[in-house]
Amino acid sequence: MTLSVASWNVNSIKARLPNVLDWLKAERPDVICLQEIKTVDEAFPAMELEDLGYNVKTVGQKSYNGVALLSRLPIEEVALTALPGDPDDEQARYIEAVISAKSGPVRVACIYLPNGNPAPGPKYDYKLAWMQRLRTRAAELLAFEEPVILAGDYNVIPRDADVHDPAAWEGDALTLPASRDAFSAIKWLGYSDAFEQVDGRAHQYTFWDYQGGAWNKNHGIRIDHLLLSPQAADRLKSVTIDSSVRAKEKASDHVPITGVFDL
DNA sequence: ATGGTTGCAGGGCAA
């Protein structure tokens, strides 16, 4: 059996619902992690997504941020609705659940990592602190020795190969050395970047800014990632970044990334 | 080019 897990920053679920429904009907991923739903839980269009066969779990807030985890397979447990480590953090950026796959439990976290601009400053400090908390949680999860998929908008450009023009992004919070170091520190725990694992040399992007005709000029960056525990990485078959949805009317500035696993 | 785009909310902030 295969398990497909997608991640997509939709930049408002209300503004994006027709696009999201169209894509889910066509692609039918088993699990999809949505970021920037930009709504409270009560206003999330759960029924429309349940009608497509998904179990729906959300961690929303008013106006900003917000994540949702949707699964066609049973959700055994919602393990966390916030990233541990800072009880004063009120931003809705994390949900972690255990999915009942045919092969057994698979843990999926939906991550909306802080943007961090402008850097330096308090927003960048919050980003780096959040990444340290994520590293701590990621380390805990490895102890389960089970398939773990950390899916989301990391707001980190890992390598120069992941940006159309590194000079154009120099000094940005998405590509500063401290951001890249914090991202690779999670990988060094034992996680694999799914895209790099299957297609490491390719230049593919997951985000094109609305401004300046970035899409038409292919001025993109790769910031949406699937990080895999060894038990998930060993089962990875393919990764697809579906850039075609960026050309649609009322597109999000991000496109979905999907991993397919023998799980 | 001190602009440029989108979404939320209904002004300015966040991205």
Side-chain angles (χ1 to χ4, degrees):
Chain A
M1 286 297 293
T2 63
L3 175 75
S4 54
V5 179
S7 176
W8 191 4
N9 179 323
V10 293
N11 185 19
S12 166
I13 189 60
K14 293 177 196 169
R16 214 67 57 213
L17 188 59
N19 288 19
V20 170
L21 293 176
D22 285 351
W23 192 79
L24 289 176
K25 285 175 190 166
E27 302 299 328
R28 297 176 58 84
D30 297 307
V31 178
I32 180 160
C33 299
L34 303 177
Q35 299 89 34
E36 277 205 277
I37 61 174
K38 288 187 168 179
T39 182
V40 294
D41 296 336
E42 297 74 32
F44 187 86
M47 282 208 306
E48 288 88 338
L49 295 157
E50 288 164 355
D51 285 347
L52 298 185
Y54 288 96
N55 300 294
V56 175
K57 303 292 182 183
T58 61
V59 175
Q61 71 177 79
K62 181 179 166 69
S63 305
Y64 299 116
N65 309 316
V67 290
L69 199 155
L70 282 52
S71 175
R72 304 171 61 84
L73 297 163
I75 298 175
E76 271 182 37
E77 174 200 2
V78 175
L80 287 173
T81 56
L83 188 60
D86 182 0
D88 294 330
D89 184 0
E90 295 182 343
Q91 300 190 26
R93 296 182 174 275
Y94 189 86
I95 183 171
E96 179 189 309
V98 180
I99 307 298
S100 296
K102 294 293 187 294
S103 61
V106 175
R107 191 172 297 253
V108 179
C110 177
I111 289 162
Y112 178 44
L113 207 145
N115 176 295
N117 280 304
K123 291 189 176 183
Y124 193 61
D125 295 341
Y126 173 64
K127 176 180 194 153
L128 292 181
W130 207 95
M131 295 184 81
Q132 178 56 49
R133 289 161 58 200
L134 179 61
R135 181 178 180 277
T136 298
R137 182 58 181 163
E140 292 173 355
L141 295 179
L142 287 179
F144 287 103
E145 299 190 336
E146 287 177 346
V148 178
I149 302 165
L150 308 178
D153 176 2
Y154 281 74
N155 270 314
V156 174
I157 302 167
R159 315 166 300 177
D160 282 352
D162 301 313
V163 50
H164 72 281
D165 178 9
W169 286 79
E170 194 172 358
D172 191 280
L174 277 60
T175 189
L176 279 173
S179 304
R180 289 185 174 182
D181 289 350
F183 183 73
S184 69
I186 297 170
K187 293 205 298 178
W188 279 115
L189 294 171
Y191 284 87
S192 168
D193 179 317
F195 175 80
E196 292 187 30
Q197 181 176 326
V198 300
D199 215 355
R201 288 177 299 175
H203 292 232
Q204 281 187 254
Y205 309 132
T206 64
F207 169 94
W208 295 260
D209 201 282
Y210 288 124
Q211 301 187 62
W215 166 245
N216 287 324
K217 293 186 257 186
N218 196 27
H219 287 182
I221 55 178
R222 187 173 70 91
I223 57 175
D224 299 86
H225 309 299
L226 308 176
L227 292 191
L228 312 179
S229 73
Q231 295 78 10
D234 279 344
R235 300 292 186 141
L236 179 65
K237 292 179 63 180
S238 65
V239 175
T240 304
I241 295 172
D242 188 359
S243 56
S244 70
V245 304
R246 186 62 181 83
K248 294 193 178 302
E249 287 297 312
K250 291 278 287 180
S252 171
D253 40 7
H254 296 249
V255 299
I257 174 172
T258 306
V260 179
F261 302 84
D262 276 316
L263 283 171

